[in-house]
Amino acid sequence: MSNRDSNYQCVIVGSGVAGAVVAQRLLEADPKTSIAVIEAGPRVPLKDRRRWWDFVSTAENPYEKYHDLALGRENQSVGDETWVFQESRLMGRGGSTVHWGGWALRFKEEDFQTCSRTGRGADWPISYDELEPYYGLAEHLLGVSGKAEDSHGKVNPRRSSEYPLDAFPFVVADRPMIHAFENEGISYGHMPMARFRKCMTTGTCRYCPFGARFTAAYMWDAMEANPQYENLRMFPDSPCERLVCGDRRSVRAIEIRDPKSGDISRIEAEKFVIASGSYESPKLLQRSESQYWPSGIGNDFDLVGRFLISHPFLHVRAAFPSNANRWNQELDFPTLMSRHYDSPDEQPQGKLFLFKDRSRPSLDLASMMINGKRRVEINRASIGPMEFELQGFMEEFSNFDNRVTVGEGRNRAGMPQTKVNFSRNTDFRDRAATRLAIMERIVRIMGAKIAVSAVRTQRGDHAASTCRMGSSPADSVVDRNLQVHDVENLWICSNAVFPTGAAVNPTLTLTALATRLGDHLNGLRRAS
Amino acid sequence: MWHESQELLEQFVGTELQDTTDSLGDEQRRELWQLFVAIHDTWGSDAARPEEMDSRWREFIHEKCVHSPSYLPVYRLACRLFGQLRRVHGAQMYDYLFFDPEVSADPLTELYRVKKLVVDEFIRVYVSSGGFRAYGGKNYGGFVSGSRFRSQRPYRTFEGKQ
Ligand SMILES: Cc1cc2nc3c(=O)[nH]c(=O)nc-3n(C[C@H](O)[C@H](O)[C@H](O)COP(=O)(O)OP(=O)(O)OC[C@H]3O[C@@H](n4cnc5c(N)ncnc54)[C@H](O)[C@@H]3O)c2cc1C
Ligand code: SF4
């Protein structure tokens, strides 16, 4: 066992957006703060022209080696419902925002009171109002393009600041769906997207050649290049194995396991922020057993890793008989969305957030050519049937039995694999059917023929709630300031702390929470 | 380049993967450009001319040759193979490369690998460099269409009443 470097003021485990925002906030307040950032994965080459050309010319996944392997080769899904890990997070400097879509939506007021309003799930110990100013800061940080008013002229949720950038106009192929929304009196709006001003609408957003889509890796680039931040250290390829307690109320050090040799080294610090995502954050607590915490840190009530949720993904695929104007999506992200059914009235059934598929209508011209199709055939296909999808995320209520634990074996980054036990709530199918019925109705109004209407296999992209926030250790893992109950120098910053997942993507809310945590830690420092 | 193409490339060029100088001869460069133009002649239209794509194509070739794993040996082999094929197929060589199922029949042949790593990749680069325009639309994955803040929208929009 060796001791790396020295004693830091703060250790942050995980270099995703959560860790990056906390670090940035601490360094802005005091540039000399000493911070060790512990990242299990490697540095991921970004804005690299060769990699971009490889992506354009082969269409192959540029991040394969930073992802979990397919089930059967890595991780275990043991519940009634298969849980898909592959591509559901990215292990590398910058974390999952290296490959995220950049949809950046605020939760609504009622999302913070799910249990009071529905009798299911949990309430947040903080309100929308408390988070509202941080949402504004988060939108500026992520460079969100949006329009506050929906098609009915309403601004919901309430906001005290404008979007930093104007929304992307709708693509022309959004038109039939917009007409259907209008016919039915369904409000719709522009999808808020994290895209900086320099976006050149290149449409290869999985690998952006210009750095126009936010990723936390760019925050680290800026922080690591800042000569004032001389005490910031990044440790890539360094999976944290466990936290070591000094006593029941404090953590003293973390242990890092060298993925190649298995050697363990230690880093000591005053404060510890676990920003390791919704799988690893609870697993780290579970693994950190000691005489002070025999079942793992913060786990006396057996809650760590429980209440796992992610959004059920609903889709209705349909086609028009022809595409006379040769419409296609033309962008690699959706421009049209509706939060009409993301409303208090829908909460008991599970709120529904609707959007038009980012990849349809489309014609893969290159593949047709590669497969030997002649010009005339491609021409015919380009005006032939036009396929599109109306898609939706549905809010799901957490369930005590759905759980993340440490799995068998280690993954490619050297961390223990993950076991997920996930089953659907008994009324899920009925509730999902009512959501699909809404979607089918919209598609029918468009005059298109439905081919598929279903819930997709559950993916973990928006995994959340595994270290949920609450007021007491009997019902939660962290308090309203994200501090692990009864441990004075340990905080969790991750979607894992969300008591509920609402119906929209999580990362803007996470960024707001991370900003708030940074301010809280700065306040503690000033107070001491 | 992480799955099939990577594997193919590794099997194919073996130890030469570390060769990272962009030393394609003029003749070889011309041969490869001819392939790009043939793709245009086969599938393109005047909506986008290959001359307008020339700088993009050159950057693509440069990046593929100077960075590891280098495509230089693949491109050299492709040029050699095209020479041989031209002797057999004459003016029909590109037709053979683009449409004859025999080309993709046996993964163990050099021809298969050249089709995958050179012809197919050139097709993707061609389409994303503007070739898509022959089939409608203003923007396509990989095409640098421009800023949304320009008065000329970089993609076909529906401004509606919103
Ligand atoms: C395909 C996809 C698309 C998405 N698109 C959107 C979107 O459009 N909008 C949206 O809001 N959200 C989206 N998300 C979700 C979004 O990516 C996450 O909410 C967000 O990135 C989570 O950030 P994080 O910092 O908490 O965790 P992560 O970004 O996952 O970072 C955690 C980091 O911690 C490291 N780590 C974990 N354990 C350890 C350990 N023991 N030791 C050291 N390091 C460790 C990991 O390697 C990782 O780098 C998407 C997710 C996926 C998978
Ligand atoms: S469209 Fe996507 S890939 Fe293109 S510049 Fe914008 S963010 Fe980058």
Side-chain angles (χ1 to χ4, degrees):
Chain A
M1 164 113 46
S2 66
N3 278 333
R4 292 209 197 188
D5 269 8
S6 54
N7 204 315
Y8 290 85
Q9 283 167 294
C10 186
V11 157
I12 298 176
V13 183
S15 69
V17 62
V21 170
V22 172
Q24 189 191 52
R25 219 62 193 159
L26 295 180
L27 290 166
E28 277 169 357
D30 176 3
K32 298 276 179 267
T33 312
S34 59
I35 303 178
V37 184
I38 312 303
E39 171 51 56
R43 287 176 186 264
V44 184
L46 297 171
K47 288 188 273 183
D48 176 302
R49 295 297 289 187
R50 167 62 189 268
R51 274 170 198 262
W52 180 69
W53 276 118
D54 283 341
F55 183 49
V56 170
S57 62
T58 68
E60 288 173 5
N61 178 354
Y63 305 117
E64 196 276 332
K65 66 180 180 184
Y66 314 104
H67 284 149
D68 293 270
L69 293 171
L71 272 174
R73 297 178 67 196
E74 238 177 32
N75 302 314
Q76 293 94 45
S77 167
V78 298
D80 293 345
E81 185 74 24
T82 302
W83 184 273
V84 176
F85 293 87
Q86 199 175 22
E87 296 194 22
S88 75
R89 60 158 173 187
L90 188 141
M91 289 166 281
R93 179 173 168 277
S96 303
T97 54
V98 166
H99 74 173
W100 76 320
W103 314 7
L105 299 107
R106 296 178 178 209
F107 283 11
K108 291 185 171 177
E109 250 169 275
E110 64 273 12
D111 294 325
F112 295 78
Q113 307 149 1
T114 308
C115 184
S116 318
R117 305 180 60 93
T118 67
R120 305 180 77 163
D123 284 348
W124 289 54
I126 57 174
S127 66
Y128 176 80
D129 281 346
E130 217 171 326
L131 213 50
E132 200 283 331
Y134 292 104
Y135 269 127
L137 293 171
E139 283 166 348
H140 275 82
L141 183 80
L142 303 185
V144 182
S145 304
K147 181 171 179 186
E149 297 86 26
D150 66 17
S151 59
H152 291 174
K154 294 222 173 75
V155 179
N156 184 7
R158 213 159 7 86
R159 44 190 305 133
S160 59
S161 55
E162 296 291 326
Y163 277 107
L165 291 166
D166 287 345
F168 283 85
F170 297 122
V171 300
V172 69
D174 290 341
R175 198 165 160 170
M177 201 174 279
I178 287 177
H179 285 156
F181 285 151
E182 286 176 351
N183 268 339
E184 285 289 281
I186 297 170
S187 59
Y188 61 90
H190 293 265
M191 180 69 92
M193 295 298 305
R195 291 291 183 282
F196 297 121
R197 182 168 279 277
K198 61 186 166 188
C199 171
M200 286 290 157
T201 60
T202 316
T204 53
C205 300
R206 289 192 94 188
Y207 200 95
C208 177
F210 308 116
R213 187 205 48 177
F214 171 88
T215 137
Y218 304 146
M219 291 182 71
W220 294 119
D221 288 348
M223 285 187 271
E224 288 192 273
N226 189 331
Q228 287 191 305
Y229 299 165
E230 59 196 55
N231 299 319
L232 171 68
R233 299 277 179 282
M234 167 75 67
F235 296 92
D237 300 302
S238 299
C240 174
E241 186 66 5
R242 59 189 289 269
L243 312 174
V244 183
C245 283
D247 52 44
R248 189 171 154 85
R249 299 194 68 80
S250 68
V251 172
R252 199 173 70 219
I254 57 160
E255 287 182 0
I256 296 169
R257 183 177 181 276
D258 185 305
K260 293 205 179 86
S261 65
D263 290 349
I264 298 283
S265 59
R266 224 174 228 212
I267 292 187
E268 297 189 353
E270 293 163 20
K271 297 189 174 76
F272 296 84
V273 176
I274 307 304
S276 315
S278 291
Y279 302 143
E280 303 303 334
S281 300
K283 283 164 61 194
L284 251 184
L285 296 186
Q286 288 165 358
R287 294 207 294 282
S288 302
E289 293 165 346
S290 68
Q291 63 192 97
Y292 311 111
W293 293 98
S295 314
I297 297 179
N299 200 22
D300 281 358
F301 290 85
D302 190 24
L303 294 178
V304 172
R306 293 198 180 273
F307 303 112
L308 172 69
I309 48 168
S310 189
H311 289 126
F313 188 105
L314 280 50
H315 69 139
V316 176
R317 186 177 308 160
F320 291 108
S322 67
N323 183 5
N325 296 312
R326 300 173 199 258
W327 281 345
N328 56 58
Q329 177 61 20
E330 298 203 25
L331 292 174
D332 194 15
F333 49 82
T335 43
L336 174 63
M337 62 93 186
S338 167
R339 300 189 76 174
H340 189 87
Y341 299 96
D342 175 5
S343 68
D345 286 350
E346 300 296 329
Q347 223 168 356
Q349 292 292 314
K351 297 171 109 194
L352 179 65
F353 166 49
L354 295 171
F355 41 91
K356 191 170 128 281
D357 180 10
R358 71 175 171 85
S359 57
R360 288 188 186 81
S362 74
L363 193 61
D364 186 349
L365 298 170
S367 290
M368 293 187 82
M369 295 173 192
I370 287 167
N371 291 325
K373 298 283 180 249
R374 305 260 172 193
R375 182 202 296 267
V376 57
E377 293 170 279
I378 301 178
N379 234 324
R380 212 180 301 127
S382 71
I383 53 172
M386 182 175 94
E387 207 177 59
F388 69 94
E389 263 193 33
L390 175 58
Q391 302 177 332
F393 291 140
M394 175 178 164
E395 173 167 26
E396 186 50 307
F397 306 110
S398 56
N399 180 336
F400 179 83
D401 294 325
N402 289 338
R403 187 171 205 188
V404 168
T405 49
V406 177
E408 287 155 27
R410 290 194 178 262
N411 69 12
R412 288 192 285 179
M415 292 188 286
Q417 294 184 22
T418 306
K419 181 157 89 179
V420 159
N421 184 349
F422 183 79
S423 303
R424 296 277 188 216
N425 288 315
T426 45
D427 63 345
F428 174 76
R429 233 154 262 296
D430 292 344
R431 287 187 293 108
T434 66
R435 314 294 80 184
L436 283 168
I438 293 172
M439 295 166 68
E440 288 169 20
R441 197 180 79 235
I442 296 166
V443 169
R444 278 203 198 90
I445 290 163
M446 292 170 68
K449 189 159 181 266
I450 295 175
V452 180
S453 173
V455 181
R456 283 203 188 148
T457 312
Q458 187 60 53
R459 287 175 55 106
D461 301 19
H462 297 170
S465 289
T466 49
C467 293
R468 74 185 194 182
M469 192 192 315
S471 48
S472 119
D475 62 18
S476 56
V477 177
V478 300
D479 69 11
R480 65 193 317 280
N481 292 318
L482 314 191
Q483 185 187 324
V484 175
H485 290 298
D486 300 327
V487 186
E488 282 159 4
N489 65 345
L490 178 62
W491 291 265
I492 310 275
C493 192
S494 156
N495 299 335
V497 303
F498 290 14
T500 51
V504 299
N505 314 53
T507 309
L508 188 74
T509 300
L510 172 62
T511 307
L513 279 176
T515 312
R516 179 174 168 274
L517 173 60
D519 284 4
H520 174 70
L521 295 178
N522 285 329
L524 289 182
R525 180 165 53 187
R526 278 193 298 272
S528 68
Chain B
M1 272 263 319
W2 282 266
H3 302 296
E4 196 188 348
S5 325
Q6 173 78 41
E7 264 167 40
L8 273 181
L9 193 57
E10 279 170 3
Q11 287 167 22
F12 180 34
V13 291
T15 53
E16 286 183 89
L17 275 175
Q18 298 314 316
D19 183 352
T20 53
T21 46
D22 178 3
S23 53
L24 276 176
D26 287 349
E27 197 51 43
Q28 291 165 330
R29 204 171 282 275
R30 248 193 310 277
E31 179 72 270
L32 293 174
W33 176 247
Q34 265 190 60
L35 168 65
F36 195 74
V37 173
I39 292 168
H40 170 77
D41 292 343
T42 307
W43 285 293
S45 76
D46 282 347
R49 307 281 320 156
E51 303 81 73
E52 297 155 15
M53 308 177 199
D54 172 59
S55 62
R56 250 178 81 108
W57 179 79
R58 272 188 286 127
E59 194 213 352
F60 165 74
I61 295 289
H62 177 79
E63 289 292 321
K64 287 282 194 178
C65 289
V66 301
H67 296 293
S68 180
S70 171
Y71 269 51
L72 206 52
V74 188
Y75 290 153
R76 288 196 183 124
L77 179 97
C79 292
R80 223 177 326 122
L81 210 61
F82 294 161
Q84 291 164 10
L85 288 174
R86 199 169 278 114
R87 280 195 286 283
V88 180
H89 298 281
Q92 301 306 307
M93 178 186 82
Y94 294 117
D95 244 41
Y96 172 72
L97 273 177
F98 298 153
F99 299 114
D100 197 320
E102 183 184 284
V103 177
S104 300
D106 182 356
L108 297 177
T109 60
E110 288 180 337
L111 187 57
Y112 176 92
R113 291 164 187 171
V114 165
K115 161 85 166 98
K116 275 257 161 217
L117 295 171
V118 185
V119 178
D120 293 356
E121 291 196 13
F122 274 34
I123 287 175
R124 285 209 184 85
V125 171
Y126 171 76
V127 170
S128 71
S129 300
F132 70 88
R133 286 206 176 122
Y135 303 92
K138 239 177 161 179
N139 197 16
Y140 195 86
F143 185 67
V144 182
S145 192
S147 166
R148 83 199 108 129
F149 298 106
R150 289 186 327 180
S151 55
Q152 276 274 352
R153 296 287 196 208
Y155 55 94
R156 286 179 298 173
T157 61
F158 175 62
E159 310 281 340
K161 69 171 192 192
Q162 260 265 292

